[in-house]
Amino acid sequence: MTNDNTEAGARAPRGWREATEAALYGPDGFYRRPEGPAAHFRTSVHASPLYAAAVARLLCRLDAALGHPDELAFVDMGAGRGELTTGVLAALPAEVAARVRAYAVERAERPAGLDPRIEWRATPPAGVAGLLFANEWLDNVPVDVVEVAPDGTPRLVLVDDDGRESPGGRVEGPDADWLARWWPQGPEPGLRAEIGRSRDEAWAGAVRALRRGLAVAVDYAHARDARPPFGTLTGFRAGRETAPVPDGSCDITAHVALDACAGEGAALLSQRAALGALGVSGGRPPLALASSDPAGYVRALARAGEAAELTAPGGLGDFGWLLQPVGVALEAVFPEAAGLLVDVPDHEEE
């Protein structure tokens, strides 16, 4: 961190959580810009329609577990420009689609031309039964950053609007408790962590929207026994990773401690495993198809390439899927997650 003073008239340095909130969601924030996030980075939703089709299959599984209710909710958290919700509605069987009430939850304005069946909201609905799906939402819930000071104590990292950092005060109270439980640090100066308490609270609030159903959070994640020693805070602009600067010009993101977000009965698995269970396979089509149906072979080969990208180790396949059941048995919806329940450490053990 630097100790540069802000220039005369500039805003005083503040924590990364406050600075990111303004940069992403303020009046001129990154996520309120008309081009949308797809202009700056590629998610699984944009990589292939196979992703939305897999989510639609998950919704159908849940529909059966809920007993085929008259109204089945699909809640898309951090909906961007509604791409996932649109794709899920298109992929559903007609009988299920007729009973689905779709909600796109996003702070930006409703995009023109969006399917009128989609209800655009700034907050999730309350008391619904169905699937709440958060694809790369939690990584954009702002977090504070801490760094171990020369005296061995974690201190808040402050940042100017131009991205210059400076040391702040000691971390105390609930934030210190969260670090001790979920991201314990050694005394070595320079070690960094991102305090995920704000994400835990955001996720718990979203899950409370469900009366019954399943909540799924999908994000780049790390586990308590393998937290990155220097954190993951970064930026993206025009398809390229860049330094995080909280001026509204770029996305600001950090990987998610999904294990800390988990509630009772939740399971955590990789996107590769989750999509595989939902029928997304990167296997090549049989070569014989090239002779009997050349056009079909080309289409199948393209789908296999898209599936391979969605499930690739070292890429999108390494995303974490957090499955949080609400009032239903997880094994009735996603039996493949059996044995993958999240182990929540007792605070007394720290």
Side-chain angles (χ1 to χ4, degrees):
M1 294 183 293
T2 68
N3 290 297
D4 296 335
N5 294 322
T6 57
E7 297 178 4
R11 184 174 10 225
R14 47 190 173 162
W16 269 105
R17 180 178 176 183
E18 180 183 350
T20 301
E21 177 69 28
L24 297 184
Y25 305 113
D28 300 314
F30 178 83
Y31 277 98
R32 294 183 181 272
R33 293 167 61 170
E35 71 270 19
H40 296 273
F41 52 85
R42 178 179 171 88
T43 73
S44 298
V45 177
H46 309 117
S48 170
L50 294 175
Y51 190 77
V55 177
R57 284 191 287 275
L58 178 57
L59 184 56
C60 289
R61 286 188 181 191
L62 181 61
D63 179 48
L66 294 174
H68 308 290
D70 292 339
E71 183 173 291
L72 178 67
F74 177 69
V75 184
D76 182 6
M77 295 296 301
R81 295 302 180 265
E83 298 96 333
L84 177 60
T85 312
T86 300
V88 168
L89 288 175
L92 287 171
E95 187 279 326
V96 179
R99 292 183 288 109
V100 167
R101 185 165 181 181
Y103 303 90
V105 182
E106 179 58 67
R107 297 200 202 184
E109 295 298 318
R110 181 188 182 97
L114 188 67
D115 189 322
R117 293 176 294 173
I118 300 172
E119 182 176 332
W120 196 262
R121 300 173 57 97
T123 59
V128 298
L131 176 62
L132 182 144
F133 203 89
N135 183 73
E136 294 196 56
W137 172 57
L138 284 173
D139 69 311
N140 288 127
V141 173
V143 291
D144 272 320
V145 178
V146 299
E147 182 173 314
V148 177
D151 63 1
T153 61
R155 292 183 175 272
L156 193 68
V157 177
L158 306 181
V159 63
D160 296 335
D161 287 348
D162 62 5
R164 291 180 297 174
E165 293 182 337
S166 57
R170 294 184 59 170
V171 180
E172 299 176 337
D175 285 345
D177 293 341
W178 189 93
L179 284 174
R181 188 181 193 192
W182 290 109
W183 199 325
Q185 295 176 285
E188 296 88 349
L191 293 177
R192 289 169 71 109
E194 291 121 18
I195 302 173
R197 190 167 63 88
S198 56
R199 291 169 171 177
D200 299 355
E201 294 169 353
W203 179 241
V207 172
R208 282 196 294 271
L210 294 177
R211 182 178 77 255
R212 291 183 69 212
L214 180 69
V216 181
V218 182
D219 248 306
Y220 273 125
H222 42 63
R224 185 178 181 273
D225 59 357
R227 304 284 189 221
F230 302 105
T232 61
L233 188 75
T234 190
F236 284 92
R237 182 191 296 113
R240 294 181 179 274
E241 189 169 7
T242 185
V245 178
D247 61 359
S249 68
C250 67
D251 184 28
I252 298 173
T253 179
H255 294 189
V256 183
L258 282 178
D259 49 352
C261 297
E264 183 178 356
L268 186 58
L269 64 164
S270 71
Q271 174 155 298
R272 182 179 180 84
L275 290 182
L278 293 170
V280 178
S281 170
R284 293 174 64 90
L287 192 58
L289 185 63
S291 299
S292 62
D293 182 4
Y297 178 77
V298 171
R299 289 192 298 270
L301 198 61
R303 287 194 299 271
E306 293 172 4
E309 180 182 1
L310 289 171
T311 59
L316 295 175
D318 287 346
F319 270 83
W321 279 47
L322 176 65
L323 310 179
Q324 181 70 62
V326 179
V328 297
L330 181 59
E331 57 267 24
V333 183
F334 213 105
E336 298 87 354
L340 298 174
L341 298 184
V342 178
D343 182 23
V344 178
D346 293 329
H347 187 70
E348 290 77 10
E349 294 177 359
E350 304 308 324

